[in-house]
Amino acid sequence: MVSQRNSMRLAAVATLGALLVGTAGTAMAAAPTAPAATPAAATISAKPSVTTVQAWQLFRVTGTTTGLTAGSTVTLQQKQHGAWVTLPASVHTAHNGSYSLGVKLGIKGQNELRIVSGSVASPVFTVTVR
């Protein structure tokens, strides 16, 4: 017959054993695995041909991309009321990643713009429309 004192010891050992197994399982799950190959970070550059234009005057935005597939679509976005709005101005990149996009803007004042492709965006640039 197991005394009350021995049953308490067995319960304590069983609980401690369960904690150790649980901790070992956590350590195993958190152990690092071999690093996966990461693709090179994609980038987009953008440069307007002018910094000031008249409303609806044609200008160009040119740039290059790295890490994107040749023929990827790049699109112009404009910041309107604090949100990025996609404009109907896009072009496919050349085999070397370059692009040239014709743009006409009608919103007068300072326009914050960027070029995007998927989740990749160029640095913001500004064109003033008078």
Side-chain angles (χ1 to χ4, degrees):
M1 181 168 179
V2 178
S3 70
Q4 185 177 8
R5 186 176 201 177
N6 282 342
S7 68
M8 290 175 86
R9 282 184 187 158
L10 288 174
V13 169
T15 304
L16 184 57
L19 286 173
L20 290 174
V21 169
T23 303
T26 303
M28 292 298 287
T33 57
T38 56
T43 62
I44 301 174
S45 70
K47 182 178 181 186
S49 59
V50 294
T51 56
T52 303
V53 294
Q54 296 298 316
W56 306 113
Q57 178 185 342
L58 179 67
F59 67 96
R60 299 203 81 68
V61 177
T62 57
T64 57
T65 64
T66 59
L68 298 178
T69 306
S72 294
T73 302
V74 293
T75 305
L76 181 68
Q77 287 188 334
Q78 179 183 45
K79 198 162 209 178
Q80 296 178 7
H81 307 291
W84 287 106
V85 176
T86 300
L87 300 180
S90 62
V91 68
H92 296 288
T93 60
H95 69 282
N96 64 356
S98 66
Y99 68 90
S100 180
L101 178 65
V103 179
K104 290 181 180 182
L105 298 174
I107 298 177
K108 293 189 176 188
Q110 217 174 33
N111 289 266
E112 290 182 90
L113 305 166
R114 70 182 185 179
I115 299 291
V116 298
S117 182
S119 62
V120 181
S122 73
V124 176
F125 59 94
T126 303
V127 174
T128 302
V129 178
R130 296 185 187 235

